[in-house]
Amino acid sequence: MSEILIEAVHLKKFFPTSRGTLHAVDDVSFSIEKGKTMGVVGESGCGKSTLGRTLLQLYEPTEGEILFRGKQVNHLSRGELKQVRPKMQMIFQDPYSSLNGRMTVQQLIAEPLLVNKVCKSKKEIQERVEHIMDTVGLAKRLAMAYPHELDGGRRQRIGVARALILRPEFVVCDEPVSALDVSIQAQILNLLMDLQDKMGLTYLFITHDLSVVKHISDEIMVMYLGKCVERAPSEEIFEHPVHPYTKALLAAIPIPSIESLHKKRHLLQGEVTSPVDPKPGCRFSGRCPYATDLCRQGEIPLREVSPGHFAACCRIEETDR
C-alpha cells in the first residue's frame, strides 16, 4: 500500500482586511502519496500559493490540520518545527526576486546548510554545494557568479538547488516555470521530474498552465476562490472533466489546429464572486451557466462521481449533456 507523505484536513487560511475577512483557502482537504506529484491549478487569486505556503507553515493555518508522515505539524513548538522544516522546502516563482543579489551562487546554495547547521566543516559544505550544483546542471565555473549575471533558467536552477540541498522529502513548487521562456520551461520541468525519480521527492506543483500540470502531475486539484472544485488523476481530469469551471479552463488551452476553431468552447460570463466574506453556496455560481437557486443555498461538498474523481457541483448531470 502506498504511503501518504503529506495530508491537509479541512485546511483554512483567512486574512483580515479593512473590508472583512478574506477566505484565501477555505476547507481544503487532500493527501499526496510519497514520490507522487499533486498539481494545483486555477486562475490568479484562487489561493494556490497561499495553500502551498500554509502547508509549509510560512502562514499559520486559521483552522484545520497538516499531517506530515501522519504527525500533525501545525501545532508544533518552535524547536520541533525546526526539526521538520528541512524535510519540507519550496521553489519560488520568480528566480530573481527570491535570490539575494549580493550573494554568489555558492553562497546562495550553501545558505540553507549554514542556517540549519547540518555540516560540521567548510569542506563538507563545499562538497555538498558542488554535488548539488552538478545534480541540477549548474557548471562549477558559475560558483562565484552573481544572480544578475545569469539567465532565468540558471537562476531557477539555483532555486532548485537551494530547496534540495537539505535533502527534503516534500517540495512545494510555486509556479517555478511561469517566469521562464518556453524552451527553458521544458528544461526545468524535465529536471524536476528527473530529480523526483532520483531522490524520491514528493511535489505539490502550483501553476495556472494546464499543459504544464498535465506533463508533470499524477493527480490534479482545481481551485476556485479558495475552494477545491474538482480533484482527480491527471488523465481523468483531461478526458472526463465534470465541473463547469474545469471545462472552461481546459477550453482555454490553445490548440494549434484549424479544426479547433469550430470546436465549441465553454466561455465564462458574469461577475467574479468576492473572496471577502463570501455568501453561502457555490462561489462559481455567478459565472456558471447551469447555476440554480439550489447552488446558492449552502456549501457544495466534494462528492465522488467516479472512483478517485471528486467534484463540488450539484448540477453534474446537467453539465454532461
Side-chain angles (χ1 to χ4, degrees):
M1 184 176 179
S2 299
E3 176 188 358
I4 300 298
L5 183 71
I6 188 134
E7 186 174 3
V9 183
H10 301 297
L11 192 62
K12 297 182 181 181
K13 180 57 187 175
F14 300 162
F15 295 96
T17 71
S18 59
R19 295 167 48 208
T21 302
L22 174 64
H23 292 224
V25 177
D26 197 350
D27 198 15
V28 173
S29 298
F30 65 90
S31 60
I32 310 177
E33 296 179 2
K34 182 175 175 58
K36 300 293 185 179
T37 300
M38 166 76 80
V40 182
V41 298
E43 57 196 58
S44 297
C46 72
K48 306 185 300 295
S49 295
T50 302
L51 173 63
R53 290 168 184 255
T54 304
L55 283 176
L56 297 185
Q57 302 286 284
L58 298 180
Y59 295 147
E60 185 177 347
T62 303
E63 288 183 27
E65 297 180 351
I66 302 167
L67 304 176
F68 182 75
R69 289 192 171 278
K71 182 179 180 180
Q72 190 172 354
V73 297
N74 55 308
H75 293 298
L76 295 179
S77 66
R78 187 172 182 178
E80 291 173 324
L81 186 58
K82 191 174 181 180
Q83 298 298 317
V84 175
R85 276 242 162 94
K87 301 175 184 177
M88 307 166 69
Q89 293 293 305
M90 188 169 191
I91 301 171
F92 293 93
Q93 177 177 357
D94 187 345
Y96 191 62
S97 64
S98 63
L99 301 176
N100 186 338
R102 296 185 177 185
M103 297 174 71
T104 65
V105 171
Q106 180 174 298
Q107 291 172 330
L108 287 165
I109 297 174
E111 187 179 25
L113 297 176
L114 297 172
V115 170
N116 290 275
K117 301 177 181 178
V118 298
C119 293
K120 297 179 180 179
S121 65
K122 291 184 178 180
K123 181 180 179 182
E124 186 180 353
I125 292 174
Q126 182 69 24
E127 290 174 350
R128 289 274 291 268
V129 170
E130 289 179 357
H131 178 264
I132 199 66
M133 284 182 66
D134 183 60
T135 301
V136 302
L138 282 170
K140 291 182 180 179
R141 61 182 174 81
L142 300 175
M144 302 308 295
Y146 289 89
H148 72 272
E149 298 176 313
L150 306 176
D151 58 28
R154 289 191 176 93
R155 289 178 195 150
Q156 193 58 290
R157 289 176 191 268
I158 299 172
V160 174
R162 279 170 59 88
L164 300 187
I165 198 165
L166 291 174
R167 298 168 183 167
E169 297 179 63
F170 174 61
V171 180
V172 173
C173 306
D174 186 9
E175 302 200 40
V177 297
S178 63
L180 307 177
D181 293 338
V182 175
S183 59
I184 306 300
Q185 285 185 13
Q187 294 178 21
I188 298 299
L189 284 175
N190 290 332
L191 172 65
L192 290 172
M193 295 173 71
D194 291 342
L195 291 172
Q196 183 175 39
D197 293 337
K198 181 185 297 186
M199 304 174 68
L201 298 170
T202 303
Y203 291 145
L204 181 80
F205 194 92
I206 299 167
T207 182
H208 60 266
D209 190 334
L210 279 161
S211 58
V212 168
V213 82
K214 182 182 182 181
H215 183 66
I216 196 171
S217 300
D218 298 291
E219 190 173 8
I220 295 175
M221 179 169 65
V222 182
M223 289 187 67
Y224 184 78
L225 292 182
K227 288 282 192 180
C228 171
V229 297
E230 190 164 0
R231 190 179 80 241
S234 181
E235 291 184 3
E236 177 72 10
I237 282 281
F238 279 84
E239 292 178 5
H240 303 105
V242 296
H243 197 281
Y245 180 62
T246 306
K247 292 181 177 180
L249 287 179
L250 292 174
I253 299 176
I255 302 174
S257 170
I258 295 178
E259 287 76 13
S260 67
L261 296 175
H262 307 291
K263 185 178 179 180
K264 183 180 178 181
R265 293 185 177 273
H266 295 260
L267 301 178
L268 296 181
Q269 299 178 347
E271 293 293 327
V272 178
T273 303
S274 173
V276 177
D277 294 327
K279 297 179 180 178
C282 177
R283 294 179 189 177
F284 187 63
S285 60
R287 305 170 73 187
C288 179
Y290 307 98
T292 65
D293 291 338
L294 178 65
C295 303
R296 304 179 183 93
Q297 290 176 359
E299 296 297 326
I300 311 298
L302 279 174
R303 62 188 177 99
E304 194 169 18
V305 296
S306 63
H309 191 160
F310 300 85
C313 182
C314 57
R315 301 274 291 167
I316 290 175
E317 290 73 17
E318 285 75 9
T319 65
D320 284 338
R321 292 175 182 173

